Amino acid sequence: MSFFSSLNSSASGLTAQRLRMDIISQNIANVNTTRTENGQPYKRKTVIFEEKNNNKFNDVLNNTMNQYNANGVRVSRIVEDERPFMQVYDPTHPDANEEGYVLMPNVNVVEEMTNMISANRAYEANVTALNASKGMAMKALEIGR
């Protein structure tokens, strides 16, 4: 793995984890949103990652002939969670049905906080890898003096 490849891989991980944290923050912010623009409660969103794969012939040849080159990670898509909405009995709520139940978003704050801790740890790991690459480059420059 080349120096720039390691930096690119860490940078793509940082970008992906930042987007994951943004989506988790959006889920937490909408935990009480009972009506969106489509009239339904807010649906929890999740981020799906995939490996960056350059399908250029040169990259495929290098990966198979020499070694594996990490290309990093990217967000393939953001999907809505299809779990059912929670029903809460609150007849005074403006969105309550005839029986007094309100459909609440399918967001679990504890689950979101756990995912945010996981995203934060992954972000920190990418920063550590980036700093390690930077440190190796700086030591290599000191040898050349």
Side-chain angles (χ1 to χ4, degrees):
M1 178 182 282
S2 71
F3 171 70
F4 290 114
S5 177
S6 66
L7 290 178
N8 189 26
S9 181
S10 296
S12 69
L14 289 171
T15 303
Q17 293 302 328
R18 187 195 61 190
L19 179 62
R20 182 179 174 206
M21 284 194 267
D22 288 346
I23 295 298
I24 292 169
S25 299
Q26 184 179 355
N27 288 339
I28 292 172
N30 287 298
V31 72
N32 291 322
T33 302
T34 58
R35 188 182 320 162
T36 58
E37 63 271 358
N38 63 7
Q40 294 289 318
Y42 175 80
K43 284 187 175 181
R44 178 180 177 262
K45 295 177 183 164
T46 56
V47 177
I48 307 294
F49 294 138
E50 69 179 10
E51 179 185 7
K52 273 187 182 176
N53 192 3
N54 296 334
N55 289 326
K56 297 176 189 170
F57 178 75
N58 190 24
D59 293 334
V60 173
L61 183 63
N62 283 336
N63 284 340
T64 56
M65 295 288 290
N66 299 328
Q67 61 188 10
Y68 177 76
N69 283 333
N71 294 321
V73 66
R74 69 177 180 182
V75 174
S76 67
R77 63 187 187 275
I78 298 172
V79 296
E80 290 183 341
D81 192 346
E82 293 302 324
R83 288 187 285 186
F85 297 118
M86 296 182 291
Q87 286 190 350
V88 175
Y89 182 72
D90 185 4
T92 61
H93 195 281
D95 292 330
N97 61 13
E98 304 84 39
E99 298 166 352
Y101 287 99
V102 179
L103 292 178
M104 299 297 286
N106 55 358
V107 176
N108 182 347
V109 175
V110 175
E111 182 181 3
E112 298 301 322
M113 292 303 293
T114 304
N115 288 337
M116 185 171 278
I117 290 170
S118 171
N120 190 30
R121 296 286 186 250
Y123 192 90
E124 289 174 353
N126 281 303
V127 168
T128 302
L130 190 69
N131 285 334
S133 295
K134 178 182 163 189
M136 286 189 282
M138 295 305 290
K139 289 292 181 188
L141 288 175
E142 287 177 9
I143 291 173
R145 287 184 188 176

